[in-house]
Amino acid sequence: MRDRRESVRDKVMYGGVAEIGNFGTTRECIVRNISDSGANIEFSKDFQLPREQLSLRIARKGRSFLARVIWWRDNFVGVAFRAESPAAPVSDIEERLRKSEIKKRQLQRQIDQLLNER
């Protein structure tokens, strides 16, 4: 099979976090190989991914990437990085605060729904 990648990927084993969708849903993953233009990631379970966009954060590299899904087979996914990348968190505290704010909005929506059902 012919390799159609633009650049050679380095074999690695980095822990990563993929943020999927607009609601801040995250899934831990393992980055199996990576290049400047894409990566092969593995999730612990097979699940449906959006084709539009996901954000991949690799703590060991201290970077985040916007990516789109090119292919997936079972729990292995090939992604291509987009030219623009999300703003990298300056510290772990900023990232945790951002996730906390997302969770707060989700919980507030659930409270509002429960109060409206009465």
Side-chain angles (χ1 to χ4, degrees):
M1 179 159 82
R2 195 173 131 249
D3 191 357
R4 296 176 289 176
R5 296 183 185 133
E6 294 174 9
S7 56
V8 178
R9 290 192 178 172
D10 297 323
K11 289 185 179 185
V12 295
M13 189 176 272
Y14 296 150
V17 176
E19 187 172 322
I20 303 159
N22 297 329
F23 299 108
T25 303
T26 60
R27 296 249 184 201
E28 290 187 10
C29 60
I30 297 173
V31 180
R32 293 292 184 178
N33 62 45
I34 190 167
S35 71
D36 292 336
S37 60
N40 180 344
I41 56 180
E42 178 184 1
F43 293 93
S44 60
K45 296 183 207 170
D46 187 18
F47 68 97
Q48 190 65 29
L49 282 171
R51 279 205 175 257
E52 312 83 55
Q53 179 173 293
L54 61 92
S55 175
L56 177 63
R57 184 171 29 102
I58 305 171
R60 189 167 183 180
K61 290 184 74 71
R63 295 198 49 203
S64 293
F65 304 91
L66 286 179
R68 68 182 170 91
V69 176
I70 301 299
W71 61 266
W72 70 82
R73 193 169 23 258
D74 300 324
N75 54 336
F76 292 92
V77 180
V79 296
F81 299 142
R82 296 186 181 255
E84 70 279 0
S85 60
V90 175
S91 71
D92 184 46
I93 293 172
E94 282 188 26
E95 181 67 14
R96 291 190 341 221
L97 178 62
R98 187 183 68 77
K99 285 183 178 181
S100 175
E101 290 293 329
I102 291 169
K103 186 67 174 174
K104 177 183 165 191
R105 286 192 298 270
Q106 289 173 340
L107 291 171
Q108 188 61 49
R109 280 193 295 266
Q110 288 177 349
I111 289 170
D112 292 344
Q113 286 176 345
L114 290 171
L115 290 175
N116 289 334
E117 289 178 1
R118 288 184 182 201

